[in-house]
């Protein structure tokens, strides 16, 4: 019988986790090789993590790079990584960081404040429009720099080589912004060398070893990593395995040390007396959905968007296809969010209501649209195939547009879609998650539906200024409920992430941010591992 371990974080991120006794084994051992998996595609899109919007690229970047903050999966909160201390002004706008002693890049260069300022400035480069610009945008002067109105970001000030002052435009916790893997710190000027893009240099526990496109990326232990005694394993092979069946075979053959389980594997592993002993389940802060492009005429009308939510039997899809490896969505914010409204109800399955709304909107005879999606079985073409006949019953014809995951991450921010299906991060910070729908957030960042609602903006702006946590969460709750009413997306589900690990692998963390993303430096293998 698996034990149930509930962990409630300081930011109210609740995790329901099943942890096998072996995962909590005692004294870590050094040495050995860990074969990890990157399960979200058939390739890595880039070895420049600052330029990547893809979760798939985090798997290699988490080993090689470090950001100003890191995510503590056990405590459920951001913690300082590259700084040893931070002081905060009375108005919570100015943060002064003291960098750690002895932190150096894999090439031996010591970390300085110049590296951080250069990295954040690169992310805001107006000619690049990098994905992490959305996080740096909260720094004073960052938007002006991005718009070409300033030559530097005024809110980034070097006090000395080891002291950095960051001034924000709003009083928010910068830990949620600067813990993101794609806000990783590079050596200043590193990208001027073309070799950096094929041989990245970072501050992480492992240094780049070898990349075999479509197969694996290997990293090797960095002996001068700033956390004493870590990492434990000598080598980590990050295996590119986007196919769930292939992961299942490799895991059962003991060729890989972890496997991210899809719905079918989830059912099979739970029923297996041995495999079920080493399963970890987490309620992740991700929402699965279909986003609508308002530039496509039918989707300009709220009634059409609501009709699609009514026309789809989401509960049936979750039960039959997701095998209950998901939680029904009743809005954008997931169950673990402190601003989640427990009284909110998801859209009911009501085809007649859907037809009524479509008729009111002038589409009594229906309409047709193209839905862009990947092969992902949890939020891709498998789900699209299920909703096609449901929408057909109310007169709406859907044509699937299959793409690779790397293509999806390009066409969505570019607005090259009528509708798309994806899984987006919706926590742990509720304000950051909902800011994606603020009218000031560009489509290229995360306002993929170009949502523009004055009442919603007022609620988000007020929440940004709120001094008391309860007041902020109440405003965000109202904003989330308004978002559900406006239906810029089909609200499908919140992810229940499940990962299996071999009995010899220890240190696995119940990471609600992304179960498959692990702090590699904490993982270790015991004497029973084949790699020893």
């Amino acid at each position: 019988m698996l034990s149930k371990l509930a962990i409630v974080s300081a930011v109210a991120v609740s995790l329901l986790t099943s942890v096998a006794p072996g995962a909590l084994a005692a004294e870590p051992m050094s040495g050995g090789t860990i074969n990890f998996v990157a399960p979200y595609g058939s390739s890595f899109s880039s070895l420049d993590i600052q330029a990547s919007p893809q979760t798939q690229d985090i798997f290699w970047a988490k080993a090689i790079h470090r950001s100003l903050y890191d995510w503590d999966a056990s405590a459920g909160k951001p913690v300082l990584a590259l700084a040893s201390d931070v002081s905060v002004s009375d108005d919570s706008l100015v943060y002064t960081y003291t960098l750690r002693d002895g932190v150096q890049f894999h090439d031996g260069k010591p970390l300085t404040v110049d590296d951080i300022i250069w990295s954040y400035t690169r992310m805001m480069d107006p000619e690049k429009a990098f994905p992490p610009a959305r996080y740096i945008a909260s720094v004073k002067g960052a938007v002006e720099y991005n718009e070409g109105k300033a030559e530097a970001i005024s809110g980034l000030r070097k006090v000395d080589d080891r002291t950095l002052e960051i001034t924000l435009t709003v009083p928010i916790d910068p830990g949620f912004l600067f813990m993101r893997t794609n806000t990783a710190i590079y050596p200043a000027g590193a990208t001027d060398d073309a070799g950096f893009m094929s041989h990245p240099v970072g501050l992480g526990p492992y240094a780049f070893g070898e990349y075999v496109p479509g197969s694996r990326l290997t990293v090797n232990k960095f002996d001068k990593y700033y956390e004493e005694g870590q990492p434990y394993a000598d080598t980590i092979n990050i295996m590119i395995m986007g196919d769930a069946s292939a992961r299942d075979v490799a895991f059962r053959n003991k060729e890989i040390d972890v496997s991210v389980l899809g719905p079918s594997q989830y059912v099979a592993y739970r029923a297996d007396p041995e495999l079920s002993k080493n399963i970890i389940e987490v309620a992740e802060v991700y929402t699965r959905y279909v986003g609508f492009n308002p530039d496509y005429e039918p989707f300009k009308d709220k009634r059409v968007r609501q009709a699609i939510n009514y026309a789809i039997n989401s509960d049936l899809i979750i039960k039959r296809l997701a095998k209950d490896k998901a939680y029904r969505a009743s809005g954008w914010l997931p169950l673990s969010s402190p601003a989640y409204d427990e009284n909110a109800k998801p859209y009911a399955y009501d085809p007649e209501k859907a037809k009524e709304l479509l008729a009111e909107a002038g589409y009594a005879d229906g309409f047709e649209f193209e839905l862009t999606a990947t092969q992902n079985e949890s939020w891709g073409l498998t789900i699209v195939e299920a909703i096609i006949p449901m929408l057909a019953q109310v007169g709406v014809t859907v044509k699937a547009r299959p793409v690779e995951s790397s293509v999806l991450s390009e066409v969505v921010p570019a607005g090259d879609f009528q509708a798309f299906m994806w899984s987006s991060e919706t926590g742990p910070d509720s304000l950051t998650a909902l800011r994606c729908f603020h009218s000031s957030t560009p489509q290229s960042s995360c306002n993929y539906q170009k949502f523009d609602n004055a009442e919603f903006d007022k609620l988000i702006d007020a929440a940004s200024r709120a001094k008391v946590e309860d007041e902020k969460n109440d405003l965000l709750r109202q904003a989330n409920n308004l978002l559900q009413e406006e239906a810029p997306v089909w609200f499908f589900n919140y992810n229940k992430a499940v990962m299996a690990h071999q009995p010899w692998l220890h240190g696995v963390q119940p990471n609600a941010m992304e179960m498959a993303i692990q702090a590699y430096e904490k993982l270790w293998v015991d004497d029973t591992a084949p790699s020893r």
Side-chain angles (χ1 to χ4, degrees):
M1 178 69 71
L2 298 176
S3 60
K4 295 293 181 182
L5 174 63
I7 303 174
V8 182
S9 77
V11 292
V13 177
S14 300
L15 310 177
L16 180 58
T17 312
S18 299
V19 183
L24 306 176
E27 204 61 34
M29 299 174 63
S30 295
T33 296
I34 295 173
N35 292 321
F36 210 80
V37 293
Y40 298 143
S42 58
S43 66
F44 295 129
S45 68
S46 171
L47 293 187
D48 180 1
I49 192 60
Q50 291 180 359
S52 175
Q54 285 209 66
T55 301
Q56 178 79 340
D57 293 331
I58 295 178
F59 289 95
W60 68 262
K62 190 69 174 173
I64 294 173
H65 292 296
R66 277 298 174 267
S67 302
L68 182 58
Y69 287 79
D70 200 0
W71 176 252
D72 186 328
S74 297
K77 64 179 182 180
V79 294
L80 288 173
L82 299 179
S84 58
D85 183 63
V86 60
S87 60
V88 188
S89 63
D90 291 340
D91 61 3
S92 298
L93 290 177
V94 182
Y95 285 71
T96 304
Y97 298 89
T98 302
L99 300 189
R100 283 177 178 257
D101 288 323
V103 179
Q104 60 179 280
F105 291 94
H106 300 149
D107 61 2
K109 178 188 180 298
L111 170 70
T112 71
V113 166
D114 291 330
D115 301 310
I116 299 177
I117 293 178
W118 180 87
S119 293
Y120 289 170
T121 302
R122 179 178 188 254
M123 295 171 204
M124 290 303 298
D125 188 326
E127 295 183 1
K128 295 182 172 65
F130 283 155
R134 61 183 282 204
Y135 306 119
I136 312 304
S138 294
V139 177
K140 182 180 179 182
V143 172
E144 288 78 4
Y145 174 77
N146 183 257
E147 294 175 346
K149 299 176 182 177
E151 295 183 358
I153 300 176
S154 60
L156 299 175
R157 188 173 79 88
K158 176 182 177 180
V159 178
D160 56 47
D161 281 347
R162 295 187 58 251
T163 309
L164 170 67
E165 181 183 278
I166 298 181
T167 301
L168 304 174
T169 57
V170 288
I172 57 178
D173 184 349
F176 289 109
L177 305 175
F178 306 139
M179 71 176 189
R180 310 291 170 161
T181 305
N182 58 3
T183 64
I185 305 305
Y186 290 176
T191 55
D192 294 340
D193 179 359
F196 183 86
M197 295 306 179
S198 59
H199 195 294
V201 173
L203 297 159
Y206 290 90
F208 178 84
E210 180 186 21
Y211 176 40
V212 181
S215 177
R216 62 173 171 81
L217 189 149
T218 298
V219 294
N220 301 311
K221 182 176 183 177
F222 181 49
D223 290 330
K224 296 181 180 179
Y225 181 57
Y226 57 79
E227 291 285 3
E228 187 175 354
Q230 295 180 350
Y232 301 115
D234 291 333
T235 301
I236 295 182
N237 294 312
I238 303 166
M239 317 298 289
I240 301 173
M241 303 187 75
D243 183 76
S245 297
R247 291 196 304 272
D248 178 42
V249 171
F251 187 80
R252 291 174 182 271
N253 286 340
K254 302 180 181 179
E255 298 166 4
I256 55 176
D257 295 321
V258 301
S259 182
V260 177
L261 305 186
S264 299
Q265 286 76 34
Y266 178 53
V267 173
Y269 279 49
R270 288 182 68 185
D272 188 293
E274 291 303 316
L275 295 177
S276 63
K277 293 177 181 178
N278 294 295
I279 292 177
I280 297 181
E281 300 180 11
V282 171
E284 276 186 345
V285 287
Y286 276 79
T287 299
R288 277 79 176 270
Y289 64 102
V290 167
F292 307 124
N293 190 338
D295 290 340
Y296 185 60
E297 189 64 33
F299 295 143
K300 290 181 179 179
D301 196 310
K302 176 175 70 174
R303 292 168 296 186
V304 171
R305 304 191 301 264
Q306 290 176 330
I308 290 177
N309 274 275
Y310 281 116
I312 299 173
N313 191 339
S314 301
D315 290 324
L316 180 64
I317 296 174
I318 290 172
K319 184 175 183 61
R320 294 288 177 84
L321 292 181
K323 310 295 185 184
D324 287 325
K325 200 184 82 68
Y327 306 94
R328 177 74 191 281
S330 57
W332 190 246
L333 296 178
L335 297 166
S336 52
S337 169
Y340 176 77
D341 188 348
E342 295 182 356
N343 297 316
K345 302 294 183 184
Y347 279 89
Y349 173 53
D350 192 340
E352 293 307 313
K353 177 69 173 178
K355 292 177 183 177
E356 178 183 324
L357 287 168
L358 288 170
E360 290 178 7
Y363 295 97
D365 296 327
F367 66 96
E368 178 182 301
F369 72 93
E370 183 180 74
L371 179 48
T372 304
T374 71
Q375 293 290 346
N376 189 288
E377 66 175 322
S378 297
W379 45 266
L381 291 171
T382 301
I383 307 302
V384 173
E385 290 170 358
I387 69 176
I388 286 175
M390 295 179 183
L391 291 175
Q393 288 183 357
V394 299
V396 176
T397 300
V398 178
K399 290 187 175 181
R401 177 192 177 192
V403 297
E404 291 290 332
S405 58
S406 59
V407 175
L408 185 68
S409 65
E410 293 175 358
V411 301
V412 172
D416 182 20
F417 63 88
Q418 293 178 355
F420 67 91
M421 187 160 199
W422 218 356
S423 174
S424 287
E425 181 183 298
T426 48
D429 180 33
S430 305
L431 178 58
T432 298
L434 287 176
R435 269 195 169 280
C436 283
F437 293 92
H438 194 283
S439 63
S440 66
T441 302
Q443 186 175 41
S444 60
S445 291
C446 60
N447 190 359
Y448 305 133
Q449 295 75 219
K450 296 200 290 189
F451 189 70
D452 188 349
N453 182 285
E455 184 181 352
F456 181 87
D457 286 354
K458 288 179 181 178
L459 289 168
I460 296 300
D461 293 341
S464 299
R465 297 188 297 267
K467 300 291 186 182
V468 181
E469 195 71 12
D470 286 347
E471 178 189 359
K472 181 180 81 170
N473 287 335
D474 182 62
L475 290 164
L476 294 176
R477 197 171 294 115
Q478 294 177 53
N480 189 48
N481 289 340
L482 187 153
L483 198 65
Q484 186 199 27
E485 167 69 16
E486 289 294 316
V489 306
W490 166 50
F491 299 99
F492 181 30
N493 68 44
Y494 311 126
N495 184 40
K496 179 196 292 185
V498 185
M499 190 164 74
H501 65 86
Q502 301 290 4
W504 54 76
L505 180 68
H506 307 278
V508 180
Q509 309 107 49
N511 185 8
M513 279 290 293
E514 169 63 59
M515 182 63 203
I517 303 295
Q518 292 288 306
Y520 296 118
E521 68 275 14
K522 297 179 180 179
L523 300 178
W524 58 279
V525 291
D526 62 35
D527 283 334
T528 66
S531 64
R532 287 188 176 276

